[in-house]
Amino acid sequence: MIPSPSPFPEPQPALAPLTSAAVFLVVTVEPGGEQQVRDLLPEISALTRSVGFRVPEAALSVCTGISSDVWGRLFAGPRPAELHPFQERVGRIHRAPSTPGDLLFHIRAHRMDLCFELASHFMSRLEGAVAVVDETHGFKYFDDRDLLGFVDGTENPVGSPAYRAAIVGDTDPEFAGGSYVIVQKYLHDLTGWNALTVEAQERAVGRTKLSDIELDDDEKPADSHVTLNTVEDDEGNQLQIVRRNMPFGSFGRGEFGTYFIGYAATPSVTERMIDNMFLGNPPGIHDRLLDFSTAVTGGLFFVPSQEWLDADHPAAGSGAATEPAPATRAEPDPAPTPEPDPHAGSLRIGSLKA
């Protein structure tokens, strides 16, 4: 685990470095399955140690996230101050959906067999209590590149700046040491992307493809990915998150993409980036990458500190969901309300299930 440079509780390993393999597992909790989930959560550390002890150099770790919708079904008492459901964004052209998901298991190691083994222990203990709505197996692609051919995560903070960017501090003392994580699964149109010239690709991303150097400000279009994902506070200081994205792919399903996962001390920073990408900043433009990358999932979870996860907490009295905290937005959404989806309830894509 990453040592905590503060008096706050030990975080889960959100800041652990990228590995060669990962499993992103999102499940919903069936009615009546709450106690099985509560029984598993304090066991996760021991299960991870037991599996990882067999191959310590593989650096097996897991981060467990809990959604707003299921929090009140699992626990009585206070909840993380900024925990709320992920909001759908509907821009003029592109949409960032909000999809089902109560628990997130972000499992990673330098060997996929260890990720698979740990996931199998979780699912065995949760048998009958949860339904898998998304399972994505990520892999390292050359020098940390995505399937579009660009290095992913270049601007990730490291050391103390990473801790400050990703870990909750004294702004919410009850849940200090935790982190908010947003996940989105993007499918790429590789045929369309590869038809572009390298120069056009670089302008869409805002970086050079081979050397991974950020383009000068006068070369970066307003709709480049780098431009729209650079956000600042009122004093002009850049706000950061910690990304641990990974590529994935399946030739049989014809699906190739990037699994975005961003850890932050406040979800508002990641939400501002997503608003910029889909709704524009200023409104009316969108991230050029979205013309080749389609978001098919979206979820927001709280990753409590390791100490909090390992402890027992009072169960929710009735097992029924409490009213979730209202969703907050860093930017107002100017988009119109979407028409009702006749396929609501089904994610209608590859490994994603209703």
Side-chain angles (χ1 to χ4, degrees):
M1 293 182 184
I2 304 297
S4 168
S6 80
F8 298 123
E10 184 73 22
Q12 291 189 61
L15 304 183
L18 280 172
T19 52
S20 302
V23 171
F24 304 94
L25 193 60
V26 179
V27 304
T28 53
V29 179
E30 301 287 354
E34 293 83 3
Q35 190 56 50
Q36 274 180 258
V37 172
R38 287 173 44 77
D39 290 343
L40 170 67
L41 295 180
E43 295 182 9
I44 288 176
S45 294
L47 289 170
T48 305
R49 286 193 298 271
S50 295
V51 175
F53 184 78
R54 296 154 69 176
V55 192
E57 64 272 18
L60 177 66
S61 69
V62 59
C63 283
T64 302
I66 304 166
S67 78
S68 174
D69 289 340
V70 84
W71 189 278
R73 293 168 54 195
L74 296 175
F75 310 114
R79 54 188 288 135
E82 296 187 76
L83 181 59
H84 57 263
F86 182 80
Q87 279 190 300
E88 178 184 58
R89 274 84 172 163
V90 181
R92 292 192 307 166
I93 298 176
H94 300 291
R95 169 176 170 262
S98 174
T99 52
D102 291 330
L103 301 175
L104 166 71
F105 299 108
H106 177 198
I107 306 170
R108 43 190 157 161
H110 289 294
R111 288 175 42 167
M112 180 57 77
D113 57 344
L114 293 180
C115 297
F116 184 87
E117 175 76 4
L118 185 57
S120 72
H121 286 290
F122 294 167
M123 295 309 297
S124 174
R125 282 162 172 74
L126 294 174
E127 185 175 2
V130 302
V132 176
V133 292
D134 186 32
E135 176 182 355
T136 302
H137 293 199
F139 54 86
K140 179 181 172 68
Y141 192 59
F142 296 106
D143 48 339
D144 294 331
R145 294 180 183 263
D146 56 29
L147 297 185
L148 301 178
F150 284 76
V151 175
D152 196 352
T154 304
E155 292 299 319
N156 270 332
V158 297
S160 295
Y163 189 95
R164 290 192 298 270
I167 306 301
V168 176
D170 55 11
T171 57
D172 189 6
E174 185 86 22
F175 294 98
S179 184
Y180 293 90
V181 61
I182 288 179
V183 297
Q184 291 179 293
K185 184 174 182 176
Y186 286 87
L187 299 183
H188 300 323
D189 170 15
L190 292 182
T191 300
W193 178 255
N194 290 329
L196 298 179
T197 64
V198 171
E199 291 75 14
Q201 292 178 355
E202 291 177 340
R203 286 172 60 80
V205 174
R207 307 187 75 87
T208 57
K209 190 170 187 177
L210 179 62
S211 59
D212 188 38
I213 302 299
E214 185 172 338
L215 300 181
D216 292 336
D217 289 344
D218 58 357
E219 295 181 281
K220 275 183 301 193
D223 63 353
S224 76
H225 185 68
V226 169
T227 298
L228 291 173
N229 276 269
T230 301
V231 297
E232 298 177 342
D233 63 17
D234 293 338
E235 284 73 46
N237 301 306
Q238 185 174 348
L239 302 174
Q240 295 181 302
I241 64 173
V242 173
R243 299 169 177 84
R244 291 295 184 252
N245 305 349
M246 294 199 84
F248 65 89
S250 168
F251 292 100
R253 292 192 296 269
E255 293 179 4
F256 310 96
T258 296
Y259 198 97
F260 166 79
I261 179 165
Y263 291 93
T266 167
S268 63
V269 176
T270 317
E271 290 172 321
R272 281 183 61 183
M273 295 175 179
I274 295 171
D275 285 344
N276 289 352
M277 290 173 62
F278 287 85
L279 306 179
N281 183 23
I285 65 172
H286 64 265
D287 190 328
R288 174 66 169 140
L289 283 187
L290 296 180
D291 295 333
F292 305 93
S293 300
T294 301
V296 295
T297 71
L300 190 159
F301 305 85
F302 185 71
V303 177
S305 70
Q306 194 66 61
E307 176 183 300
W308 197 99
L309 193 70
D310 291 344
D312 289 325
H313 303 280
S318 65
T322 59
E323 187 69 23
T328 58
R329 294 181 58 84
E331 301 284 346
D333 186 351
T337 302
E339 293 295 323
D341 184 351
H343 300 287
S346 172
L347 297 180
R348 309 191 306 281
I349 208 154
S351 60
L352 305 177
K353 301 177 182 177

